[in-house]
Amino acid sequence: MVIRQPVAVKFILTEAAKQQIIAEQRRQIEQVMNELEQIEEQGKQAIEQAMAQSGELAQQVRLQVENEKRVREQRREELFQQMQQFQQMELGTEIQNMTVETMVEVKPGDDWTKVLLGSEIIVRDGIVVEIRQNGQRIEG
């Protein structure tokens, strides 16, 4: 019988990978900051326009603008915390990046605990450096 099994793809944290991740997180933080500025500007205009119609509408718009700002501020804080975590990580750390699937043949007599161990693909700087199956390194 053939079953589908998840395969963990991990990357080894190198200086280049670390700097790339931190740069990407800084870019995302900057993007969120730009979104916050846009929300602030557009929100002021929307509130002014709503005030011309009714105070109740203006209050609804103000609440919506505040909610949008709060969502972006939370995202900015999450990104900042993630960036700090990566800055503190030691080089050589294996980090789960994604999961892919593979097909695995299971037959009578197989050790189910080993099947459950699954497989891992280890990547360093974009190159597959190791494949592990059932907790064991596969020689290629």
Side-chain angles (χ1 to χ4, degrees), residues 3-10 96 99-106 111-122 130-138:
I3 62 171
R4 293 189 334 200
Q5 185 178 53
V7 177
V9 179
K10 297 179 176 182
Q96 174 92 26
T99 302
V100 295
E101 280 192 349
T102 188
M103 304 300 274
V104 177
E105 186 172 343
V106 180
D111 183 344
W112 184 245
T113 57
K114 286 187 177 181
V115 172
L116 290 177
L117 286 175
S119 301
E120 295 178 322
I121 298 171
I122 311 300
E130 186 177 342
I131 297 175
R132 300 175 189 149
Q133 192 170 31
N134 303 330
Q136 306 273 329
R137 181 181 181 147
I138 296 177

Side-chain angles (χ1 to χ4, degrees), residues 65-108:
V65 168
E66 290 301 319
N67 186 48
E68 288 295 321
K69 285 171 52 178
R70 196 169 26 260
V71 167
R72 297 313 189 286
E73 288 166 352
Q74 288 173 344
R75 177 71 178 136
R76 178 186 62 193
E77 185 60 31
E78 288 170 6
L79 287 166
F80 186 72
Q81 288 177 1
Q82 289 173 3
M83 186 175 71
Q84 286 182 321
Q85 288 174 345
F86 273 105
Q87 287 172 332
Q88 295 170 0
M89 280 186 187
E90 291 186 29
L91 299 180
T93 302
E94 288 183 9
I95 301 168
Q96 174 92 26
N97 188 30
M98 68 177 74
T99 302
V100 295
E101 280 192 349
T102 188
M103 304 300 274
V104 177
E105 186 172 343
V106 180
K107 54 192 177 306

Side-chain angles (χ1 to χ4, degrees), residues 39-51:
I39 290 168
E40 187 75 35
E41 289 177 28
Q42 293 172 353
K44 284 180 186 177
Q45 293 172 358
I47 292 169
E48 288 174 12
Q49 291 173 356
M51 284 288 276

Side-chain angles (χ1 to χ4, degrees), residues 17-62:
K18 188 175 190 177
Q19 294 308 317
Q20 182 180 7
I21 291 166
I22 291 169
E24 175 60 22
Q25 288 175 323
R26 282 190 177 128
R27 188 195 65 72
Q28 288 181 25
I29 290 170
E30 189 175 311
Q31 180 180 340
V32 170
M33 296 295 290
N34 290 338
E35 290 173 12
L36 274 166
E37 287 177 23
Q38 286 180 336
I39 290 168
E40 187 75 35
E41 289 177 28
Q42 293 172 353
K44 284 180 186 177
Q45 293 172 358
I47 292 169
E48 288 174 12
Q49 291 173 356
M51 284 288 276
Q53 295 177 18
S54 80
E56 187 177 311
L57 180 60
Q59 184 62 19
Q60 289 174 351
V61 170
R62 182 176 289 120

